């Protein structure tokens, strides 16, 4: 157990715990003996994590001064792992405001240390020439350093780990394209770092001396081009050597659209990643090792990091993914449970079938829906809907599943998000595709009065304006094939599994 000077455990606040890094940092802090509180807009998304019972969760938003003030009470260390990237053109102002609130409230609460993970900026490049993503990350770091609370700003380039956006981009580009024409940025030198080492350094920063208030560059032992990284990935994965032909004509915007088509990472997220690769990002110093020494075997090499990440993916043991955080602008309104909901019009499509299988067999089918397992009806219709969503800037079907068999609240599931799950009984999904309204899909396992297994399925749509009403009326003729087929095929799959 790690104790404070007054013999109590050191208390850490973690923002972004529903995201990729935050969701992995919490168990690492707990394992190191720290007491952990998580600030989340939707604390319910944390309840199914293995560590949920060991950490406190409070509701709040980084841009809400009152909720940040409450979350900071009694904290010793505060981790800032949130950003507004992808929330629109004003994301830099949102980041700026959130960082100021965080720093001010940390100082007012007597927090001893702020730890922030930012992006590694290229040496010698004026900030005005940086991508908005990197520019905002750098500004947030400066705001926190000037907050009056000792701050450690860790600056990383590409993070390699199962489920990270950078790794998914690398993995899918390399696996799907044995030969590719690529943008010129594939020749840019970068210094990737394994997510395991990022987490080790984040945890270690909780013990920094109070007089340390500065940035630290962090990276792995390998300095490579993105082109070399793809070739190294192919070698580790046992793939034939890739043919890579860089061309100077692909702009960051075109590159991000291309990445969005080939990989599960949508263009809106791919663009800042691509823009960050325009300039060389290599560590200028390794001062962090004076305070958080390397492990005896040293930091993970690129090949080792790729191998570990691949093994996690192959074993379906991915703790968090880049899609763990909610999609910007996705609806977060609660499901209207009353059919006469006061919120306005509510369209529903309800299906029910008696299933000649046990409730357990039916639930296994329900919980495995989506991703590579599909949606049990009209694959062409689902594929077309996914592609249409991608064309209008949505997430499409490319996110897949974190785990092929198990779901938890907050998981992304293609263009849905798991809003509620009652194991063995209920799965409720909230739509995150681009829609003129709010939509949910409920799958329920039950028994009727005669003791027979019953499958119930309900799709709900709350339209926004005339466009929403027109949308529902336009797709209603296809519901028999899509939703009716889904109910029939889920029941048939459960019955087939029950008899074998």
């Amino acid at each position: 157990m790690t104790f404070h000077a007054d013999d109590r455990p050191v208390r850490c606040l973690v923002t972004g715990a529903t995201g990729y890094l935050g969701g992995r940092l919490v168990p690492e802090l707990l394992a190191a003996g720290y007491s952990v509180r998580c600030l989340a807009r939707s604390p319910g998304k944390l309840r199914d994590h293995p560590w949920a019972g060991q950490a406190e969760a409070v509701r709040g938003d980084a841009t809400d001064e009152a909720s940040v003030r409450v979350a900071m009470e009694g904290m010793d260390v505060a981790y800032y792992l949130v950003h507004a990237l992808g929330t629109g053109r004003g994301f830099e102002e949102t980041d700026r405001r959130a960082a100021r609130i965080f720093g001010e409230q940390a100082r007012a609460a007597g927090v001893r240390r702020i730890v922030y993970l930012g992006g590694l900026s290229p040496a010698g490049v004026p900030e005005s020439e940086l991508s908005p993503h990197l520019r905002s990350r750098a500004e947030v770091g400066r705001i926190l350093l000037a907050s009056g609370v000792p701050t450690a700003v860790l600056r990383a380039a590409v993070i390699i780990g199962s489920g990270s956006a950078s790794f998914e981009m690398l993995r899918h580009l390399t696996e799907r394209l044995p030969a590719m024409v690529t943008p010129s940025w594939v020749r840019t030198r970068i210094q990737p770092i394994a997510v395991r080492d990022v987490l080790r350094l984040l945890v270690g920063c909780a013990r920094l001396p109070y007089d340390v208030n500065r940035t630290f560059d962090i990276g792995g032992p390998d300095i490579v081009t993105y082109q070399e990284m793809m070739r190294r990935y192919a070698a580790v994965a046992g793939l034939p050597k890739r043919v890579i032909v860089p061309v100077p004509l692909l702009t960051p915007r075109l590159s991000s659209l291309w990445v969005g088509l080939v990989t599960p990472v949508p263009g809106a997220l791919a663009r800042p990643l691509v823009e960050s690769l325009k300039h060389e990002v290599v560590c200028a110093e390794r001062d962090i090792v004076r305070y958080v020494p390397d492990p005896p075997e040293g930091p993970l090499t690129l090949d080792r990091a790729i191998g570990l990440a691949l093994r996690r993916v192959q074993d379906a043991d991915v703790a968090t993914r880049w899609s763990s955080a909610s999609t910007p602008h996705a609806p977060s309104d609660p499901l209207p449970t009353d059919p006469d909901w006061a919120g306005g019009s509510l369209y529903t499509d309800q299906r029910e079938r008696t299933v000649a299988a046990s409730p357990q067999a039916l639930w296994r089918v329900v919980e495995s829906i989506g991703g590579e397992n599909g949606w049990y009806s009209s694959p062409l219709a689902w594929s077309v809907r996914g592609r249409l969503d991608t064309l209008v800037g949505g997430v499409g079907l490319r996110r897949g599943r974190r785990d092929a068999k198990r779901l938890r609240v907050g998981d992304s599931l293609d263009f849905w998000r798991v809003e509620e799950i009652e194991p063995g009984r209920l799965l409720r999904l909230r739509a995150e595709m681009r829609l003129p309204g709010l939509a949910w899909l409920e799958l329920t396992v039950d028994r009727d009065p005669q003791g027979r297994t019953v499958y119930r399925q309900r799709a709900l749509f709350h339209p926004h304006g005339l466009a929403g009403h027109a949308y529902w009326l336009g797709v209603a003729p296809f519901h028999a094939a899509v939703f009716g087929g889904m109910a029939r095929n889920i029941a048939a799959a459960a019955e087939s599994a029950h008899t074998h």
Side-chain angles (χ1 to χ4, degrees):
M1 182 71 75
T2 302
F3 289 95
H4 196 272
D6 58 5
D7 293 329
R8 61 171 173 78
V10 171
R11 292 177 291 204
C12 299
L13 174 69
V14 176
T15 60
T18 58
Y20 176 72
L21 271 172
R24 297 191 179 204
L25 176 62
V26 171
E28 296 294 327
L29 289 170
L30 291 169
Y34 296 108
S35 172
V36 178
R37 174 185 293 164
C38 302
L39 174 67
R41 283 176 294 180
S42 303
K45 291 182 181 179
L46 302 174
R47 75 175 198 213
D48 292 334
H49 286 263
W51 44 262
Q54 305 171 59
E56 178 187 3
V58 297
R59 185 181 303 276
D61 189 286
T63 58
D64 176 47
E65 188 172 333
S67 62
V68 175
R69 181 185 305 120
V70 171
M72 288 285 185
E73 291 178 1
M75 294 294 104
D76 301 303
V77 181
Y79 285 89
Y80 192 79
L81 301 176
V82 295
H83 60 81
L85 179 66
T87 58
R89 294 182 179 179
F91 84 89
E92 290 180 85
E93 174 54 33
T94 303
D95 274 340
R96 188 179 301 122
R97 186 172 74 254
R100 285 174 179 159
I101 289 172
F102 196 82
E104 290 167 0
Q105 295 308 314
R107 183 177 181 180
V111 171
R112 307 290 187 92
R113 162 73 51 199
I114 291 174
V115 183
Y116 167 60
L117 180 66
L120 184 58
S121 299
V125 178
E127 196 165 295
S128 60
E129 296 181 15
L130 297 179
S131 68
H133 165 59
L134 279 181
R135 191 167 59 237
S136 181
R137 289 294 183 94
E139 183 182 18
V140 166
R142 287 197 304 273
I143 292 171
L144 296 176
L145 287 167
S147 66
V149 178
T151 297
V153 175
L154 304 187
R155 308 194 310 168
V158 172
I159 296 176
I160 301 296
S162 59
S164 76
S166 297
F167 178 73
E168 289 298 292
M169 198 168 91
L170 170 68
R171 179 165 77 97
H172 284 84
L173 283 175
T174 310
E175 290 185 354
R176 294 181 177 179
L177 299 175
M180 63 191 97
V181 174
T182 61
S184 57
W185 51 255
V186 298
R187 290 175 171 166
T188 303
R189 293 201 315 160
I190 52 179
Q191 191 166 353
I193 182 170
V195 67
R196 182 177 298 188
D197 286 316
V198 174
L199 295 170
R200 176 178 58 81
L201 294 170
L202 286 170
V203 172
C205 281
R207 302 189 300 269
L208 289 177
Y210 291 138
D211 61 346
V212 175
N213 187 63
R214 55 163 294 183
T215 64
F216 293 97
D217 293 354
I218 62 171
D222 299 276
I223 298 174
V224 295
T225 65
Y226 203 90
Q227 176 176 277
E228 175 62 22
M229 197 155 64
M230 286 192 284
R231 286 179 172 151
R232 297 268 284 271
Y233 177 95
V236 173
L239 302 172
K241 187 176 180 180
R242 270 31 194 166
V243 177
I244 302 170
V245 182
V247 296
L249 303 177
L250 290 173
T251 65
R253 183 177 182 279
L254 289 175
S255 297
S256 63
L257 291 174
W258 168 67
V259 170
L261 288 172
V262 176
T263 82
V265 181
L269 180 56
R271 184 166 183 176
L273 296 175
V274 169
E275 288 178 331
S276 301
L277 295 170
K278 289 192 300 183
H279 304 290
E280 179 174 290
V281 277
V282 174
C283 296
E285 42 82 12
R286 291 196 70 236
D287 295 350
I288 190 68
V289 298
R290 290 161 44 194
Y291 304 98
V292 187
D294 288 336
E297 67 278 11
L300 288 179
T301 64
L302 175 60
D303 289 354
R304 178 73 173 139
I306 291 172
L308 287 173
L310 270 176
R311 189 177 311 157
R312 292 277 190 183
V313 171
Q314 292 162 357
D315 293 345
D317 187 22
V318 181
T320 60
R321 301 176 68 219
W322 62 270
S323 57
S324 295
S326 294
T327 300
H329 303 307
S332 57
D333 305 51
L335 174 76
T337 54
D338 186 347
D340 299 321
W341 184 44
S345 302
L346 186 63
Y347 292 110
T348 62
D349 180 282
Q350 300 189 72
R351 312 277 168 170
E352 181 175 314
R353 296 189 71 86
T354 301
V355 183
S358 67
Q360 294 79 13
L362 177 57
W363 177 253
R364 283 193 292 271
V365 176
V366 167
E367 194 177 11
S368 66
I369 200 167
E372 293 185 0
N373 300 322
W375 290 89
Y376 291 93
S377 71
S378 186
L380 178 60
W382 284 93
S383 177
V384 169
R385 185 63 184 87
R387 290 188 178 278
L388 288 174
D389 191 55
T390 303
L391 288 175
V392 296
V395 295
L397 295 174
R398 299 164 300 176
R399 296 188 304 184
R401 296 174 52 112
R402 178 188 58 84
D403 185 296
K405 295 181 179 179
R406 294 176 296 276
L407 292 172
R408 64 190 185 201
V409 169
D411 273 359
S412 60
L413 184 58
D414 293 328
F415 46 38
W416 303 90
R417 176 82 56 182
V418 179
E419 183 173 86
E420 183 59 82
I421 185 166
E422 297 177 18
R425 196 190 81 81
L426 169 70
L427 174 63
R428 181 186 301 147
L429 306 175
R430 189 181 71 245
E432 290 191 338
M433 73 279 281
R434 294 294 179 93
L435 289 170
L438 308 176
W440 293 264
L441 179 62
E442 278 190 338
L443 314 179
T444 305
V445 176
D446 206 349
R447 285 188 183 274
D448 65 13
Q450 290 74 43
R452 297 174 298 183
T453 301
V454 176
Y455 171 69
R456 295 190 177 95
Q457 179 180 294
R458 184 168 69 141
L460 301 99
F461 182 67
H462 173 48
H464 284 172
L466 184 60
H469 291 280
Y471 172 81
W472 180 266
L473 295 174
V475 299
F478 303 100
H479 285 175
V482 175
F483 291 132
M486 179 187 298
R488 287 193 304 273
N489 293 332
I490 285 177
E495 291 169 349
S496 176
H498 183 73
T499 57
H500 288 83

